[in-house]
Amino acid sequence: IYLFIFSCLLEAVYYLFTTSVEAYVGAAALHFTIKVQSIKEQVHFFFLGCGTIASSAAIGNVVTVELTFHEFLEEFRPSAKFWSTKILVSIAFLQSLLLLIPPLDTMSVTEGNLFYASLLCIECFGVSLLHWIAWNPAEGWYTALDEYMRMKGNEGA
């Protein structure tokens, strides 16, 4: 997860820095702006690659936890819970690759961003339905947890 966070943070810092220099320094930063524009595509693919690697590593870690602790987590019905996590992590970066496939690669930047945002809305709605099913409040372990918390509260009184 730290790789994923680092990747997102690095991308945010880069874009905030370059945009801020261009916005606040203006014409004095013309040489800087020209350099940034000349490497714009390479930087985009670099961060896309970083995000894809980080997403894949995060999904790999979730799968490792799921397989390693499957027997211990059986009471929690973990399958749908793990799937919802894998889907959310996948959506973050892997969906960006979709925009590189024809005919989607012919869209303008605005059309691509609108398509990406619209697809995210639809996918997040689907994931929210999966969460609704996966995290059923009538599961037995919630009751056991409530009883434990009540006992714990009574000990402090």
Side-chain angles (χ1 to χ4, degrees):
I1 191 153
Y2 292 119
L3 185 60
F4 187 74
I5 292 169
F6 179 73
S7 172
C8 292
L9 181 65
L10 185 64
E11 184 175 12
V13 167
Y14 172 79
Y15 284 117
L16 282 172
F17 176 74
T18 56
T19 304
S20 297
V21 168
E22 291 171 1
Y24 294 113
V25 178
L30 182 61
H31 183 68
F32 176 78
T33 303
I34 291 170
K35 281 289 189 193
V36 168
Q37 290 302 315
S38 70
I39 63 169
K40 185 176 184 176
E41 189 173 354
Q42 288 116 341
V43 169
H44 170 73
F45 285 117
F46 171 76
F47 285 126
L48 191 60
C50 287
T52 303
I53 291 169
S55 295
S56 300
I59 291 170
N61 289 339
V62 169
V63 169
T64 300
V65 168
E66 181 180 12
L67 295 176
T68 303
F69 299 106
H70 182 73
E71 293 174 14
F72 299 108
L73 298 173
E74 193 63 39
E75 179 185 356
F76 299 103
R77 295 185 4 209
S79 183
K81 294 170 179 69
F82 280 117
W83 269 107
S84 62
T85 303
K86 291 176 212 171
I87 291 169
L88 278 175
V89 171
S90 298
I91 288 173
F93 277 101
L94 299 180
Q95 183 171 292
S96 300
L97 296 174
L98 186 66
L99 295 174
L100 302 174
I101 299 171
L104 301 176
D105 66 339
T106 59
M107 291 191 287
S108 70
V109 173
T110 304
E111 289 172 329
N113 288 340
L114 183 60
F115 179 76
Y116 182 82
S118 300
L119 201 54
L120 273 179
C121 289
I122 293 166
E123 291 166 346
C124 285
F125 175 72
V127 170
S128 71
L129 292 177
L130 182 57
H131 277 310
W132 185 46
I133 293 166
W135 295 94
N136 183 357
E139 289 182 14
W141 65 273
Y142 280 123
T143 307
L145 180 63
D146 285 341
E147 290 173 11
Y148 173 77
M149 294 304 286
R150 270 191 238 110
M151 284 180 14
K152 192 79 168 160
N154 289 339
E155 287 176 7

PDB file of all heavy atoms in Angstrom, residues 147-157:
ATOM      1  N   GLU A 147     -21.250  -7.708  21.732  1.00  0.00           N
ATOM      2  CA  GLU A 147     -21.203  -8.275  23.081  1.00  0.00           C
ATOM      3  C   GLU A 147     -19.847  -8.020  23.732  1.00  0.00           C
ATOM      4  O   GLU A 147     -19.767  -7.666  24.910  1.00  0.00           O
ATOM      5  CB  GLU A 147     -21.491  -9.776  23.027  1.00  0.00           C
ATOM      6  CG  GLU A 147     -22.924 -10.103  22.691  1.00  0.00           C
ATOM      7  CD  GLU A 147     -23.141 -11.593  22.473  1.00  0.00           C
ATOM      8  OE1 GLU A 147     -22.227 -12.398  22.791  1.00  0.00           O
ATOM      9  OE2 GLU A 147     -24.226 -11.950  21.975  1.00  0.00           O
ATOM     10  N   TYR A 148     -18.786  -8.177  22.969  1.00  0.00           N
ATOM     11  CA  TYR A 148     -17.449  -7.923  23.484  1.00  0.00           C
ATOM     12  C   TYR A 148     -17.294  -6.462  23.896  1.00  0.00           C
ATOM     13  O   TYR A 148     -16.743  -6.155  24.958  1.00  0.00           O
ATOM     14  CB  TYR A 148     -16.401  -8.300  22.427  1.00  0.00           C
ATOM     15  CG  TYR A 148     -15.000  -7.907  22.820  1.00  0.00           C
ATOM     16  CD1 TYR A 148     -14.285  -8.661  23.747  1.00  0.00           C
ATOM     17  CD2 TYR A 148     -14.408  -6.771  22.279  1.00  0.00           C
ATOM     18  CE1 TYR A 148     -13.005  -8.299  24.116  1.00  0.00           C
ATOM     19  CE2 TYR A 148     -13.120  -6.399  22.641  1.00  0.00           C
ATOM     20  CZ  TYR A 148     -12.427  -7.165  23.560  1.00  0.00           C
ATOM     21  OH  TYR A 148     -11.156  -6.794  23.922  1.00  0.00           O
ATOM     22  N   MET A 149     -17.788  -5.551  23.087  1.00  0.00           N
ATOM     23  CA  MET A 149     -17.672  -4.122  23.387  1.00  0.00           C
ATOM     24  C   MET A 149     -18.493  -3.764  24.636  1.00  0.00           C
ATOM     25  O   MET A 149     -18.071  -2.928  25.433  1.00  0.00           O
ATOM     26  CB  MET A 149     -18.130  -3.283  22.197  1.00  0.00           C
ATOM     27  CG  MET A 149     -17.231  -3.426  20.978  1.00  0.00           C
ATOM     28  SD  MET A 149     -15.498  -3.044  21.309  1.00  0.00           S
ATOM     29  CE  MET A 149     -15.585  -1.278  21.443  1.00  0.00           C
ATOM     30  N   ARG A 150     -19.665  -4.373  24.787  1.00  0.00           N
ATOM     31  CA  ARG A 150     -20.461  -4.128  25.995  1.00  0.00           C
ATOM     32  C   ARG A 150     -19.735  -4.619  27.243  1.00  0.00           C
ATOM     33  O   ARG A 150     -19.717  -3.957  28.263  1.00  0.00           O
ATOM     34  CB  ARG A 150     -21.831  -4.811  25.871  1.00  0.00           C
ATOM     35  CG  ARG A 150     -22.865  -3.908  25.254  1.00  0.00           C
ATOM     36  CD  ARG A 150     -24.261  -4.489  25.375  1.00  0.00           C
ATOM     37  NE  ARG A 150     -24.771  -4.615  24.015  1.00  0.00           N
ATOM     38  CZ  ARG A 150     -24.968  -5.746  23.358  1.00  0.00           C
ATOM     39  NH1 ARG A 150     -24.779  -6.899  23.944  1.00  0.00           N
ATOM     40  NH2 ARG A 150     -25.398  -5.746  22.137  1.00  0.00           N
ATOM     41  N   MET A 151     -19.136  -5.832  27.132  1.00  0.00           N
ATOM     42  CA  MET A 151     -18.374  -6.364  28.270  1.00  0.00           C
ATOM     43  C   MET A 151     -17.199  -5.475  28.586  1.00  0.00           C
ATOM     44  O   MET A 151     -16.902  -5.193  29.737  1.00  0.00           O
ATOM     45  CB  MET A 151     -17.892  -7.791  27.976  1.00  0.00           C
ATOM     46  CG  MET A 151     -18.973  -8.840  28.077  1.00  0.00           C
ATOM     47  SD  MET A 151     -18.446 -10.545  27.729  1.00  0.00           S
ATOM     48  CE  MET A 151     -16.712 -10.532  27.755  1.00  0.00           C
ATOM     49  N   LYS A 152     -16.524  -5.021  27.567  1.00  0.00           N
ATOM     50  CA  LYS A 152     -15.359  -4.152  27.745  1.00  0.00           C
ATOM     51  C   LYS A 152     -15.779  -2.846  28.402  1.00  0.00           C
ATOM     52  O   LYS A 152     -15.070  -2.314  29.255  1.00  0.00           O
ATOM     53  CB  LYS A 152     -14.726  -3.899  26.379  1.00  0.00           C
ATOM     54  CG  LYS A 152     -13.401  -3.272  26.401  1.00  0.00           C
ATOM     55  CD  LYS A 152     -12.361  -4.318  26.724  1.00  0.00           C
ATOM     56  CE  LYS A 152     -10.992  -3.717  26.453  1.00  0.00           C
ATOM     57  NZ  LYS A 152      -9.959  -4.417  27.127  1.00  0.00           N
ATOM     58  N   GLY A 153     -16.943  -2.321  28.009  1.00  0.00           N
ATOM     59  CA  GLY A 153     -17.451  -1.082  28.602  1.00  0.00           C
ATOM     60  C   GLY A 153     -17.839  -1.253  30.059  1.00  0.00           C
ATOM     61  O   GLY A 153     -17.659  -0.355  30.877  1.00  0.00           O
ATOM     62  N   ASN A 154     -18.361  -2.416  30.410  1.00  0.00           N
ATOM     63  CA  ASN A 154     -18.765  -2.691  31.790  1.00  0.00           C
ATOM     64  C   ASN A 154     -17.569  -2.849  32.707  1.00  0.00           C
ATOM     65  O   ASN A 154     -17.646  -2.568  33.900  1.00  0.00           O
ATOM     66  CB  ASN A 154     -19.655  -3.932  31.863  1.00  0.00           C
ATOM     67  CG  ASN A 154     -21.025  -3.676  31.268  1.00  0.00           C
ATOM     68  OD1 ASN A 154     -21.456  -2.540  31.150  1.00  0.00           O
ATOM     69  ND2 ASN A 154     -21.709  -4.758  30.880  1.00  0.00           N
ATOM     70  N   GLU A 155     -16.439  -3.315  32.145  1.00  0.00           N
ATOM     71  CA  GLU A 155     -15.244  -3.492  32.973  1.00  0.00           C
ATOM     72  C   GLU A 155     -14.691  -2.144  33.420  1.00  0.00           C
ATOM     73  O   GLU A 155     -14.161  -2.010  34.512  1.00  0.00           O
ATOM     74  CB  GLU A 155     -14.151  -4.226  32.167  1.00  0.00           C
ATOM     75  CG  GLU A 155     -14.451  -5.688  31.961  1.00  0.00           C
ATOM     76  CD  GLU A 155     -13.397  -6.342  31.088  1.00  0.00           C
ATOM     77  OE1 GLU A 155     -12.382  -5.707  30.768  1.00  0.00           O
ATOM     78  OE2 GLU A 155     -13.589  -7.517  30.731  1.00  0.00           O
ATOM     79  N   GLY A 156     -14.819  -1.135  32.569  1.00  0.00           N
ATOM     80  CA  GLY A 156     -14.284   0.190  32.906  1.00  0.00           C
ATOM     81  C   GLY A 156     -15.171   0.967  33.855  1.00  0.00           C
ATOM     82  O   GLY A 156     -14.765   1.966  34.420  1.00  0.00           O
ATOM     83  N   ALA A 157     -16.412   0.522  34.064  1.00  0.00           N
ATOM     84  CA  ALA A 157     -17.356   1.255  34.903  1.00  0.00           C
ATOM     85  C   ALA A 157     -17.191   0.942  36.362  1.00  0.00           C
ATOM     86  O   ALA A 157     -16.634   0.081  36.856  1.00  0.00           O
ATOM     87  CB  ALA A 157     -18.783   0.950  34.482  1.00  0.00           C
TER      88      ALA A 157
END
